[in-house]
Amino acid sequence: MLGKEFDKVTAKYGVSRVLVQSIAGDFAELGVTEKDAVSGLVELTAAVEKLGNVDISQSQKFIESILQNILRVKRDAGEIVDLSDAKFMSGVLQELRGQVAEFNLIENKTTLSLKDMADAFPEVSAAATSFGLSMSETMALLAPMVAAGYQVG
């Protein structure tokens, strides 16, 4: 079933099939077992690699950290987090795509590149959300640092 989806990702983004399968396996190890969710996460990882001009492993780490933040917020809000539920994971994927689109918008309006965000986000996201900052607010705090010449990530 997923083989055809992986072939589409390979053809569309030019990522090797072995690498695509490895990324899918890593998402499954995180507990994501719903096939459309795995496929969507793999495709989003490949898309961010191209969009942000980042390494595929960096893109995967970025997507994983955004995913973990979305799930953390849902748990903190008292929602039941079921990574095997198709409806739940569809909503999570929509949020994830929306967050990536918002990060792309931040990239277009500031000196912060998607690569900077992919570098910094996995490191700062947990602390920032524990202080009540949204993912976008966290990136907005990094923008002036990059503009001033500070290395982020």
Side-chain angles (χ1 to χ4, degrees):
M1 290 277 178
L2 281 175
K4 290 181 182 182
E5 294 301 316
F6 292 163
D7 288 341
K8 289 178 189 175
V9 172
T10 296
K12 184 174 182 179
Y13 297 101
V15 179
S16 80
R17 174 72 189 264
V18 171
L19 196 51
V20 167
Q21 288 174 317
S22 174
I23 292 167
D26 290 344
F27 282 119
E29 285 179 15
L30 288 175
V32 180
T33 56
E34 204 281 313
K35 68 179 177 107
D36 290 336
V38 171
S39 177
L41 288 166
V42 168
E43 182 166 3
L44 193 54
T45 299
V48 167
E49 178 206 19
K50 300 301 181 209
L51 180 67
N53 196 27
V54 296
D55 179 75
I56 191 77
S57 62
Q58 185 181 22
S59 176
Q60 180 183 356
K61 192 174 176 184
F62 186 41
I63 295 299
E64 284 176 4
S65 62
I66 297 170
L67 173 65
Q68 293 297 343
N69 264 305
I70 291 170
L71 298 176
R72 183 181 312 118
V73 168
K74 289 187 175 302
R75 283 187 193 103
D76 290 350
E79 287 187 46
I80 295 172
V81 173
D82 182 1
L83 303 181
S84 64
D85 179 40
K87 185 176 179 184
F88 175 78
M89 286 307 296
S90 176
V92 167
L93 273 172
Q94 280 184 293
E95 285 183 57
L96 213 153
R97 286 184 187 105
Q99 191 60 59
V100 168
E102 196 167 319
F103 285 163
N104 190 42
L105 206 101
I106 291 170
E107 176 186 42
N108 293 340
K109 300 290 183 182
T110 69
T111 58
L112 198 61
S113 71
L114 205 53
K115 184 175 183 345
D116 292 331
M117 290 182 233
D119 283 341
F121 193 76
E123 296 177 29
V124 301
S125 61
T129 53
S130 69
F131 285 112
L133 296 174
S134 71
M135 291 184 259
S136 298
E137 289 169 328
T138 303
M139 291 301 107
L141 290 173
L142 291 176
M145 295 159 98
V146 170
Y150 288 99
Q151 182 71 29
V152 296

